[in-house]
Amino acid sequence: MFDNFVVPNLLPAAPEIFLTVMALAILMIDLLVKDSRRTVIFVLTQLTLIGCAAIQFATSTGEITYTFSNMFVDDLMSDLLKLFLYMTMVIVMFYSRGYIIERESMNKGEYYVLALFATLGMMVMISANHFLTIYIGLELLSLSLYAMVAMNRDSVQSTEAAMKYFVLGALASGLLLYGMSMIYGATGTLEITGIAERLYGGGVNKSVMVFGLVFLVAGLAFKLGVVPFHMWIPDVYHGAPTSVTLLIGSAPKLAAFAIVMRLLVNGLITMAADWQAMLIILSVLSMAIGNLAAIAQTNLKRMLAYSTISHMGFMLLGIVTGVVGGDARYALNAYSSSMFYVIAYVLMSAGTFGMILLMSRAGFEAEEIDDFKGLNKRSPWFAGIMLMLMFSMAGVPFFIGFFAKFSVLQAVVAAGYMWLAIVAVLFSLIGAFYYLRVVKVMYFDAPADDTPFAAPMDMRILISANGLAVAFLGIFPQVIMSLCAYALLRSL
Amino acid sequence: MSTYPLLSLAIWIPIFAGLVVLSTGGDRNAPLARMLSLVGAVAAFLITIPLWTGFDVANGGMQFVELKGWIPRFNINYHLGVDGISMLFVILNAFITIIVVAAGWEVIQTKVAQYNAAFLIMSGLMNGIFTSLDGVLFYVFFEASLIPLYLIIGVWGGPKRVYAAFKFFLYTLFGSLLFLIALMYLFIQSGGSFSILEWHKLPIALGAQVWLFLAFLIAFAVKVPMWPVHTWLPDAHVEAPTGGSIVLAAIALKLGAYGFLRFSLPILPDASHELSGLVVALSLIAVVYIGFVALVQEDMKKLVAYSSIAHMGFVTLGFFMFSPMGVEGALVQMVSHGFVSGAMFFCIGVMYDRVHSRQIADYGGVVNKMPKFAALFMLFTMANAGLPATSGFVGEFMVILGAVKFNFWVAFAAASSMVIGAAYSLWMYKRVIFGDVANHHVEELSDINMREFAILGILAIATLWMGLYPQPFTEVMHASVNDLLRHVAISKIQ
């Protein structure tokens, strides 16, 4: 009866399995723990993430391993992205803790469990080699995030943001699914490597493929939040509780990068000429609208939302220039520059939202740019950290943001897209303006109030470390750059 | 001698000193912060003395070279070195930093540690620019130096400081971003090298050379600044604190001009010849038109700022004569301008500290109350006007001599600046210093104290030394300038 049943190789998915078990266990433990002892849940969550990282290390073979009938892939790219994912989630959980403790309605064990499930979703996305796996990962991430955005039940704003996020997210999933079904129709397989083989072999209906591709790109663009599918980003970033914004604004970018790589590069590389043109338009529009709209914002969270849009546009440039006219010589360089950009962005974004959390206290969200007024007087150290983060985002050396922009631009120039590099640079200049404005209010303006921050010591230390990492990696970017290049070399 | 990484020390000692000063904290420790900054600035200056003594003037190539891998993935190296062109600026920079720390000694009373740290860090970054032989390293220093200056203008500046700081930052960032793309293009063309010296030998087609030249031109023209992208400079100067103005005029403006010598001329010789007419025309507009603009200024700082633009016009003019006389004259003019404009801004700062006005109309008869100051100020005004025996004369004279060989009418137009320069400098001096005591503010003026006297005295010695005996300065640069001009003479079109 069970003759046909083959036990799949579970080893490549060991971190996912561990995380699932732990998340379910934490959910149970939470029922037994009193509200006052919630620290246990927090510690368990962090241990789970660290455990995942340890398992990831231990099971990494450096080879491309498929499992679950080729639905799941474990390669160096996924190992590296997942390690950064765990690291980001550890930071995010540390930053969130003080924030949710101060807000009664959010201080639940579910917060951590949902975050863990979101992490699981991202891990599945990173390792997906099958349309269904991608979809499952994506939905697991999205559903967890919808709930987390709405967690602050007392806030009308949050509820509204969650509603918007849910409706638009469902729409995006629909587009993605539609595109996937088209491609399935054309190629007869849902497996990404299989699709690549079919396309390579020829005889696939081109017009159906292009049709599917358009929907696929639209769905991905929604998830990445690039123009013209960006409308949800400012509202969700703004409306969500800041600790959730921090989560949405950081780790999922890693997963989004992974699925763009898997779908477009691994799967549809033979159609590069088609998606390239679409992505160029998306990326130029994102840089333009993201940067221009950010200038008009007075709310820091909204400003960062628009800046995310522009950063994702910038990141896409690397993917766009990977293949030029069928020539794949530039690919490795270009994709690794995008990967480095994403990692750098996640680090900066975590630090920036961390600063907002640091400045906030019970009943007061430091989310207006003016809330940073005169920070230099209140705390020169944290003003300095924020200064580094802002200049890094603007792409000024000696910070990591500079080398992130540098490597992407270098890939664009190498591929011969000189005009695109100039456009990107001009929009970066516009972007510098609003980052400078944050520095301006911190250093040039007088503080509105002199109240010291109430943030706990662990958070202060972590933000300092985060800020210093942005500076340190700006001076020594080589290690991460090479890691990205090496991981992609062994994975493509 | 060169077993020590002197250039690295010249870059990192001030930066490290700046971080130490920053850690002294709030204004309770202001005396300590001042003391430490002075120690750091003097130490950084002392480091440059073996550069001067150990420099081989017969060698036109790079000396004190340091080469270490930095980002092997993009073949970016930590590659430092000085030739006769850049060495003077490293020393000038270290020297001016001491002046700046001393100039802010009593004047700056709030956020003392941050103020001094910003200047020390900037000094280190500037040395990094002058000594980088790697394109990306150069760029990194070039752009990072915007941050401290942005803060200096914005935090300690005048009433319109925010506007001025933004304008300064965005103008210069705009220039340098196009420069970055040009660097990447050269990286690709050279088959994966960011070494500036290798680019000097790289063959490039004329079309590409012209585009690269324009990208470089925008970057450096903003920094110099050349007409018509000069408008940020008067704003930045007027709003910056005295120390900021000194550094801006004495060092920061030299970066753009230095870029022409390190990048535009040797890497793109054909485009340089092709487009020399454009640069000469822009330079002459700066010299003549901006000279007239300076004449009508009512604010002393603005007047000196415009005169800086005019003087820097001379520098770019000298470069594009392609003769040893013109280039050396321009270099002398750059160093001289460092001393003279630094001193001019300090003098205006001295008066501003006492009267809190920079309007020429608010002064008159200052000589009656501040005779020592008036005498020294006179010297610098004369140097600004290009009076023989001051450093200002040597450079302008050499550039005009170089220009005569190039084209008589260019030389004629350039020479007219001697008259215009004399007119705005002396007219300002007359209105501020001579005449009857104008009002009760001037009545209450006290003469300069020992500290101010020492600063102006040292600058006066430097100005006169260069004016009377320029030999040591030109000797240092001679071999390197010849080397550079050899590069410019060889066509790179294949």
Side-chain angles (χ1 to χ4, degrees):
Chain A
M1 187 182 166
F2 294 107
D3 283 352
N4 288 330
F5 187 81
V6 183
V7 177
N9 180 7
L10 294 176
L11 205 58
E16 280 81 358
I17 296 167
F18 174 72
L19 187 78
T20 316
V21 172
M22 286 302 289
L24 293 174
I26 291 171
L27 192 58
M28 292 316 230
I29 296 168
D30 183 51
L31 294 174
L32 310 171
V33 172
K34 282 199 215 90
D35 273 4
S36 56
R37 309 273 312 268
R38 185 124 305 132
T39 310
V40 178
I41 304 295
F42 170 74
V43 172
L44 276 174
T45 308
Q46 297 291 40
L47 286 179
T48 307
L49 290 166
I50 293 166
C52 283
I55 296 171
Q56 197 80 50
F57 256 118
T59 59
S60 173
T61 55
E63 300 302 317
I64 307 177
T65 324
Y66 296 100
T67 185
F68 299 115
S69 324
N70 286 358
M71 288 179 92
F72 190 94
V73 61
D74 183 29
D75 52 14
L76 267 187
M77 182 180 93
S78 67
D79 287 345
L80 190 61
L81 284 174
K82 279 182 203 168
L83 284 176
F84 279 109
L85 170 67
Y86 305 140
M87 198 182 76
T88 314
M89 288 309 293
V90 168
I91 297 175
V92 169
M93 291 294 101
F94 261 116
Y95 285 165
S96 311
R97 184 167 171 244
Y99 184 89
I100 65 167
I101 285 176
E102 279 170 2
R103 283 155 188 81
E104 201 45 50
S105 63
M106 291 181 71
N107 190 17
K108 299 268 160 43
E110 291 99 284
Y111 186 88
Y112 297 108
V113 176
L114 283 171
L116 283 181
F117 279 124
T119 312
L120 181 64
M122 291 185 258
M123 290 159 74
V124 171
M125 281 161 80
I126 290 171
S127 273
N129 188 42
H130 195 274
F131 281 167
L132 280 182
T133 328
I134 286 186
Y135 193 70
I136 288 170
L138 194 59
E139 285 306 291
L140 186 54
L141 168 67
S142 301
L143 286 171
S144 312
L145 289 182
Y146 302 150
M148 287 180 88
V149 171
M151 241 181 141
N152 192 0
R153 273 171 299 145
D154 310 334
S155 161
V156 182
Q157 225 178 12
S158 292
T159 319
E160 188 191 319
M163 203 60 210
K164 265 185 191 151
Y165 193 16
F166 176 70
V167 172
L168 290 174
L171 183 65
S173 299
L175 287 176
L176 205 59
L177 269 187
Y178 194 51
M180 287 172 175
S181 66
M182 287 281 176
I183 291 172
Y184 176 69
T187 61
T189 175
L190 284 170
E191 195 191 306
I192 291 172
T193 38
I195 291 168
E197 276 162 29
R198 295 284 156 81
L199 285 174
Y200 196 71
V204 175
N205 186 331
K206 181 82 197 275
S207 55
V208 179
M209 277 306 291
V210 172
F211 205 63
L213 183 67
V214 171
F215 279 97
L216 204 63
V217 168
L220 287 177
F222 246 118
K223 294 298 176 190
L224 276 172
V226 291
V227 177
F229 306 104
H230 65 288
M231 281 76 127
W232 60 274
I233 292 238
D235 290 329
V236 171
Y237 272 47
H238 183 194
T242 308
S243 66
V244 179
T245 312
L246 164 66
L247 204 169
I248 300 176
S250 56
K253 309 294 177 203
L254 294 167
F257 169 78
I259 57 167
V260 169
M261 284 296 292
R262 300 262 185 234
L263 281 176
L264 297 184
V265 177
N266 283 358
L268 300 170
I269 194 71
T270 36
M271 302 192 64
D274 296 290
W275 54 256
Q276 219 169 19
M278 283 186 256
L279 287 194
I280 287 180
I281 296 169
L282 294 181
S283 99
V284 169
L285 281 178
S286 298
M287 288 189 289
I289 293 178
N291 279 319
L292 289 172
I295 290 177
Q297 306 307 319
T298 55
N299 182 296
L300 187 57
K301 278 162 83 179
R302 276 191 103 78
M303 187 197 97
L304 289 172
Y306 281 107
S307 104
T308 301
I309 296 169
S310 75
H311 279 289
M312 286 302 111
F314 209 102
M315 184 274 285
L316 280 184
L317 284 182
I319 293 182
V320 164
T321 49
V323 176
V324 182
D327 185 349
R329 258 187 308 159
Y330 314 99
L332 181 69
N333 182 15
Y335 301 146
S336 66
S337 72
S338 274
M339 188 164 163
F340 181 66
Y341 196 92
V342 171
I343 291 169
Y345 176 73
V346 167
L347 190 67
M348 296 186 290
S349 175
T352 313
F353 285 110
M355 275 301 300
I356 301 179
L357 290 175
L358 180 78
M359 304 274 295
S360 305
R361 54 176 189 275
F364 170 73
E365 309 278 337
E367 56 175 46
E368 295 293 323
I369 294 178
D370 281 352
D371 292 333
F372 280 75
K373 262 189 181 169
L375 183 60
N376 186 37
K377 281 227 174 61
R378 292 169 66 190
S379 165
W381 174 253
F382 287 108
I385 298 278
M386 188 67 176
L387 170 110
M388 292 200 275
L389 289 164
M390 286 295 113
F391 277 117
S392 181
M393 288 249 195
V396 175
F398 284 89
F399 309 112
I400 191 171
F402 167 71
F403 279 106
K405 283 206 159 63
F406 175 90
S407 57
V408 171
L409 279 178
Q410 180 270 341
V412 174
V413 172
Y417 286 97
M418 201 60 78
W419 67 272
L420 204 52
I422 292 173
V423 167
V425 147
L426 291 180
F427 285 120
S428 297
L429 178 73
I430 295 171
F433 180 79
Y434 55 83
Y435 296 122
L436 274 186
R437 217 174 43 180
V438 177
V439 176
K440 177 229 152 194
V441 298
M442 289 194 304
Y443 280 84
F444 307 173
D445 291 354
D449 68 326
D450 289 325
T451 41
F453 321 126
M457 190 47 83
D458 55 350
M459 188 159 162
R460 288 160 176 260
I461 292 170
L462 204 64
I463 286 184
S464 307
N466 195 333
L468 292 178
V470 164
F472 180 80
L473 292 173
I475 300 174
F476 303 103
Q478 166 73 12
V479 178
I480 297 187
M481 271 183 181
S482 303
L483 267 180
C484 292
Y486 180 71
L488 284 171
L489 179 70
R490 298 287 301 273
S491 308
L492 285 176
Chain B
M1 188 65 82
S2 59
T3 49
Y4 295 101
L6 284 178
L7 296 178
S8 284
L9 289 174
I11 296 171
W12 298 108
I13 284 183
I15 293 181
F16 181 71
L19 294 177
V20 170
V21 169
L22 204 55
S23 68
T24 59
D27 286 337
R28 276 176 295 123
N29 298 323
L32 176 67
R34 287 194 190 100
M35 214 51 228
L36 281 174
S37 335
L38 192 61
V39 171
V42 170
F45 180 66
L46 291 179
I47 281 294
T48 60
I49 289 176
L51 277 184
W52 176 275
T53 55
F55 190 82
D56 176 11
V57 293
N59 179 352
M62 290 295 163
Q63 307 186 21
F64 304 99
V65 174
E66 293 171 35
L67 177 59
K68 286 191 186 65
W70 180 25
I71 306 175
R73 172 149 167 68
F74 290 113
N75 197 8
I76 300 171
N77 296 306
Y78 180 74
H79 192 181
L80 303 177
V82 283
D83 62 1
I85 295 169
S86 49
M87 198 196 62
L88 285 175
F89 295 108
V90 173
I91 296 172
L92 177 69
N93 179 21
F95 172 71
I96 292 292
T97 308
I98 302 180
I99 300 280
V100 166
V101 170
W105 200 265
E106 287 153 16
V107 184
I108 300 296
Q109 291 295 345
T110 55
K111 304 187 198 115
V112 178
Q114 290 189 348
Y115 179 84
N116 284 317
F119 279 105
L120 285 169
I121 291 171
M122 191 158 63
S123 167
L125 295 175
M126 301 270 191
N127 271 343
I129 304 173
F130 287 124
T131 57
S132 292
L133 296 180
D134 183 280
V136 175
L137 191 65
F138 179 95
Y139 182 82
V140 163
F141 283 123
F142 196 70
E143 229 183 71
S145 67
L146 298 182
I147 301 175
L149 206 49
Y150 171 75
L151 293 177
I152 288 165
I153 297 173
V155 176
W156 292 275
K160 279 168 69 190
R161 61 207 161 89
V162 174
Y163 170 75
F166 269 76
K167 196 168 172 183
F168 157 77
F169 196 99
L170 294 175
Y171 262 62
T172 37
L173 187 65
F174 169 68
S176 47
L177 283 171
L178 290 177
F179 176 54
L180 180 65
I181 296 197
L183 290 185
M184 285 171 179
Y185 181 82
L186 283 168
F187 172 71
I188 310 289
Q189 286 298 308
S190 63
S193 168
F194 274 113
S195 161
I196 298 171
L197 296 180
E198 273 177 41
W199 289 346
H200 286 185
K201 301 174 212 137
L202 182 72
I204 310 167
L206 183 62
Q209 277 201 34
V210 169
W211 283 113
L212 287 170
F213 187 88
L214 292 175
F216 284 160
L217 179 67
I218 292 171
F220 300 138
V222 168
K223 206 81 177 185
V224 168
M226 293 170 80
W227 184 86
V229 283
H230 64 282
T231 61
W232 62 270
L233 185 73
D235 286 315
H237 266 309
V238 168
E239 299 305 325
T242 301
S245 291
I246 295 175
V247 168
L248 204 53
I251 308 296
L253 297 194
K254 308 300 173 326
L255 298 173
Y258 175 77
F260 278 113
L261 290 189
R262 191 60 81 222
F263 289 91
S264 304
L265 289 181
I267 299 177
L268 312 163
D270 303 293
S272 298
H273 284 288
E274 201 77 14
L275 295 172
S276 65
L278 171 70
V279 181
V280 166
L282 293 179
S283 305
L284 286 178
I285 293 174
V287 169
V288 179
Y289 165 71
I290 298 293
F292 280 116
V293 172
L295 199 56
V296 297
Q297 295 307 314
E298 289 166 351
D299 180 312
M300 288 189 278
K301 241 182 166 178
K302 247 188 176 154
L303 189 148
V304 181
Y306 279 111
S307 95
S308 285
I309 300 170
H311 283 124
M312 292 308 289
F314 250 97
V315 173
T316 45
L317 184 67
F319 288 166
F320 283 82
M321 304 287 111
F322 308 115
S323 65
M325 193 62 103
V327 174
E328 280 178 29
L331 283 166
V332 169
Q333 171 83 345
M334 277 159 81
V335 176
S336 152
H337 180 255
F339 295 140
V340 176
S341 69
M344 291 294 278
F345 280 116
F346 183 73
C347 287
I348 296 166
V350 163
M351 285 189 277
Y352 182 79
D353 294 337
R354 288 166 170 73
V355 180
H356 293 286
S357 165
R358 286 185 301 256
Q359 298 297 313
I360 294 172
D362 287 346
Y363 292 90
V366 171
V367 68
N368 299 312
K369 293 294 160 190
M370 304 175 74
K372 275 193 279 181
F373 171 76
L376 285 164
F377 191 25
M378 164 101 91
L379 173 74
F380 297 119
T381 311
M382 293 297 183
N384 203 33
L387 186 81
T390 63
S391 61
F393 174 74
V394 184
E396 292 196 13
F397 184 69
M398 287 167 80
V399 172
I400 293 171
L401 271 187
V404 172
K405 278 189 218 152
F406 184 80
N407 178 315
F408 172 75
W409 291 107
V410 169
F412 181 78
S416 72
S417 84
M418 298 290 250
V419 183
I420 307 168
Y424 59 68
S425 300
L426 296 181
W427 193 36
M428 177 189 78
Y429 187 79
K430 183 215 131 197
R431 283 182 291 168
V432 171
I433 302 291
F434 293 144
D436 297 326
V437 172
N439 52 44
H440 69 279
H441 286 302
V442 177
E443 184 66 45
E444 290 155 12
L445 281 176
S446 55
D447 209 345
I448 47 177
N449 59 28
M450 269 316 290
R451 178 183 61 91
E452 291 160 334
F453 185 76
I455 293 171
L456 287 176
I458 292 169
L459 286 167
I461 292 167
T463 308
L464 287 173
W465 178 27
M466 232 184 141
L468 295 170
Y469 185 54
Q471 175 81 19
F473 296 93
T474 50
E475 180 188 72
V476 162
M477 60 181 72
H478 202 69
S480 298
V481 168
N482 282 336
D483 197 50
L484 172 79
L485 288 172
R486 259 199 306 282
H487 275 293
V488 184
I490 304 167
S491 169
K492 294 175 107 187
I493 306 171
Q494 283 184 333

